Amino acid sequence: MSNSLMGMFERDQQVFADATPLDDSYEPEDIRERDDELEKYQRALQPIIDNRPTSNIFLYGKTGTGKTVATKFMLSHLESDAATYDDVELSTIWVSCENLSSSYQVAVALVNELRLGQGKDRISTTGYSQQRVFDLLYDELDSLGGTVVIVLDEIDNIGQSDDILYGLPRARSNDYVEDVRPVIVGISNDFQFRENLSPKVKDTLAEKEILFPPYDANQLRSILHPRAEKAFHDDVLEDDVVPLCAAFAAQDTGSARQAIRLLREAGEIAQAEEADAVTGDFVRDAQDELEKNQLYQGMQELTTQGHAVLCALAYHQALDEVPVRSRDLYDRYIKICERLDADSVSERRVRDHLSDMNMLGLISVYERNEGLSAGRYHEYELDVPLKAVLDVLLSTSRFEDVANIIQSTAEDNNLLQSNLSNY
DNA sequence: CTTCCACTGGAAGATCTGGCCT
DNA sequence: AGGCCAGATCTTCCAGTGGAAG
């Protein structure tokens, strides 16, 4: 890109015609490859229109298998159809439980969502007792009346804390609410979720289940094609691009979201490089780019202690002393904390941080066992380029100085170059 | 086959933060 | 002001583990 002031932001759309079909929030007018699931879904919601008792509905399937899109689709039809019958009173509320880890937090979110519609003040996310929040929730529901469809997206985040799934369906029979029929639509990424519910919830939560299997490559192609056609100018996409996105995503997660993101990223890379066509190579670049972003984000979102542990491991990496066993890593960690004048945590807690980072794919763990002479222990090393870790640490003011030291140590040992090519 | 090292990882509960209620 | 609440983070304790050495 040129450095002159003129034209820095000139419109530059040789690739995209209209990228909105590739947004995460885009709602297609028809849903492909999910006919059976939609039919089941429709049957499960039908009783609402018929004013009959309605089961709760649970959708199971991994991310990007169409659960959320299908639900938005069904609800908008349900709402418009319900409006044509005078005797059907219907409202819907939607809460994404993505960042909610307990029933308490879900209840607060529901109360706030309900209050939003009426211009009332939001309630705080802490401070109340659980029963207090549930009472507030019942009050709000009561003032709505009729059938209330409550969508709890990513409900599996609440884990074992499932009181809300016990309380809501029984609100009416327990006389907490008068004239409201709550219908819960739970959306879960975790097939195990139902198994792990507490027995009292499992026994009494009348429900219909709908499974959303991962998409295969053919289905993903069929999903991508119409979007690609709208999003890109004619003849910009090479023939292998959509199949390649579909194949990558099918192989990895079977997620339509992943496939669509790949396609968009590939387009953006092509645009940035001022190419006049999107080729398969851009898809491969996009794959790398998305993976990298996810790791960066994972690293950035660690707590201060997490960063300190990561820092200790990076130091060992820079000294070429990897993999490190946990006690050596812990010594280093303590020294780093002293230098930073920061609190240090117990060895046990450091192991927890390490196992979190392992889950995120940031580090590798090897189990070692030297029997009677040296026992059983774990060794760790970075699974992401040292350069990437340092980038994150350098941008975290507290770790800037230490990161600089690590960086020069790594340079002395020539440990940055080999990793640089990817980043 | 038994011993036993050096951890690992589960469990329970303490501490701290931010916020409500009277 | 002081008690209470929920959640996140951390500490303390300790039974359990797997394989080389004996």
Side-chain angles (χ1 to χ4, degrees):
Chain A
M1 192 182 283
S2 92
N3 235 350
S4 70
L5 284 176
M6 292 291 286
M8 195 168 190
F9 290 110
E10 75 191 288
R11 187 167 293 175
D12 177 22
Q13 289 189 333
Q14 72 275 40
V15 171
F16 287 114
D18 170 17
T20 49
L22 303 181
D23 280 352
D24 279 348
S25 57
Y26 178 72
E27 291 173 38
E29 58 266 28
D30 67 321
I31 293 179
R32 303 171 74 98
E33 308 292 341
R34 288 282 109 125
D35 292 348
D36 294 350
E37 291 79 7
L38 288 177
E39 198 187 317
K40 268 194 207 166
Y41 211 158
Q42 188 269 325
R43 277 206 303 275
L45 291 170
Q46 182 64 38
I48 295 177
I49 297 292
D50 303 341
N51 269 325
R52 289 186 283 125
T54 309
S55 306
N56 301 305
I57 303 166
F58 273 74
L59 313 186
Y60 292 95
K62 297 198 175 144
T63 49
T65 50
K67 304 181 300 299
T68 302
V69 172
T71 301
K72 287 195 171 141
F73 179 81
M74 292 310 286
L75 285 190
S76 73
H77 278 274
L78 184 68
E79 278 174 332
S80 63
D81 292 348
T84 65
Y85 296 94
D86 291 340
D87 59 342
V88 179
E89 239 188 294
L90 172 72
S91 14
T92 62
I93 29 172
W94 186 297
V95 165
S96 165
C97 308
E98 195 182 348
N99 298 312
L100 310 174
S101 59
S102 68
S103 277
Y104 179 90
Q105 292 174 344
V106 171
V108 171
L110 279 169
V111 170
N112 283 333
E113 189 64 30
L114 285 161
R115 290 195 162 197
L116 198 69
Q118 303 170 26
K120 292 195 220 166
D121 288 341
R122 298 172 61 85
I123 62 170
S124 155
T125 53
T126 55
Y128 301 101
S129 69
Q130 173 158 300
Q131 195 51 56
R132 190 73 204 273
V133 177
F134 278 26
D135 288 344
L136 287 169
L137 177 56
Y138 296 140
D139 287 348
E140 295 297 333
L141 285 175
D142 232 353
S143 67
L144 268 184
T147 301
V148 183
V149 177
I150 301 169
V151 181
L152 303 175
D153 201 354
E154 303 193 37
I155 183 64
D156 47 309
N157 270 334
I158 67 168
Q160 318 282 331
S161 149
D162 51 14
D163 297 355
I164 188 107
L165 295 179
Y166 186 78
L168 269 183
R170 260 161 298 278
R172 189 182 169 91
S173 51
N174 290 349
D175 283 336
Y176 295 140
V177 294
E178 296 279 319
D179 213 15
V180 188
R181 278 197 296 198
V183 174
I184 299 178
V185 174
I187 302 179
S188 169
N189 296 326
D190 179 4
F191 290 104
Q192 302 283 314
F193 180 61
R194 185 166 205 293
E195 298 307 307
N196 297 335
L197 290 174
S198 64
K200 70 170 185 181
V201 175
K202 219 188 309 188
D203 289 349
T204 52
L205 189 65
E207 53 169 3
K208 292 214 161 58
E209 292 182 16
I210 307 174
L211 294 181
F212 284 67
Y215 295 110
D216 65 26
N218 287 330
Q219 294 171 320
L220 287 173
R221 272 206 297 279
S222 148
I223 291 166
L224 285 179
H225 267 303
R227 298 201 191 214
E229 218 144 274
K230 279 189 204 157
F232 292 94
H233 287 302
D234 296 343
D235 302 324
V236 161
L237 280 190
E238 293 201 347
D239 289 345
D240 60 341
V241 169
V242 164
L244 206 53
C245 291
F248 274 144
Q251 214 171 45
D252 189 11
T253 56
S255 152
R257 186 179 307 149
Q258 189 189 7
I260 292 164
R261 280 189 185 160
L262 264 177
L263 184 58
R264 185 181 56 191
E265 188 66 31
E268 280 172 6
I269 293 175
Q271 186 124 289
E273 305 217 337
E274 300 186 11
D276 38 6
V278 183
T279 66
D281 286 341
F282 288 131
V283 177
R284 283 176 256 270
D285 292 348
Q287 172 92 327
D288 293 344
E289 183 69 20
L290 290 180
E291 250 169 47
K292 190 181 99 182
N293 284 346
Q294 202 187 342
L295 292 174
Y296 257 102
Q297 202 187 341
M299 275 192 277
Q300 247 145 13
E301 286 171 359
L302 293 172
T303 60
T304 304
Q305 286 301 333
H307 281 138
V309 175
L310 188 62
C311 203
L313 186 52
Y315 204 161
H316 277 280
Q317 198 91 29
L319 291 167
D320 208 10
E321 290 171 359
V322 282
V324 223
R325 62 189 301 165
S326 50
R327 70 170 169 211
D328 296 341
L329 184 63
Y330 187 68
D331 292 345
R332 179 104 271 151
Y333 159 82
I334 292 290
K335 279 183 195 141
I336 285 174
C337 287
E338 277 166 9
R339 179 172 196 110
L340 288 171
D341 204 17
D343 292 338
S344 56
V345 298
S346 65
E347 201 166 350
R348 178 72 187 84
R349 185 65 189 144
V350 167
R351 281 207 297 278
D352 279 343
H353 283 297
L354 285 167
S355 108
D356 287 350
M357 287 191 258
N358 187 32
M359 291 287 188
L360 287 170
L362 298 176
I363 66 178
S364 300
V365 184
Y366 311 99
E367 200 175 312
R368 288 282 135 78
N369 196 326
E370 292 174 50
L372 201 140
S373 61
R376 182 169 161 266
Y377 56 93
H378 284 180
E379 288 186 329
Y380 304 87
E381 77 178 326
L382 288 179
D383 207 20
V384 290
L386 180 56
K387 176 79 168 63
V389 175
L390 290 174
D391 280 353
V392 170
L393 292 174
L394 283 168
S395 67
T396 312
S397 56
R398 192 151 192 193
F399 289 90
E400 212 182 324
D401 292 345
V402 188
N404 273 316
I405 295 170
I406 298 175
Q407 184 154 33
S408 49
T409 310
E411 276 160 8
D412 291 347
N413 291 323
N414 286 327
L415 284 168
L416 282 177
Q417 288 81 347
S418 60
N419 289 325
L420 253 172
S421 56
N422 296 333
Y423 276 76

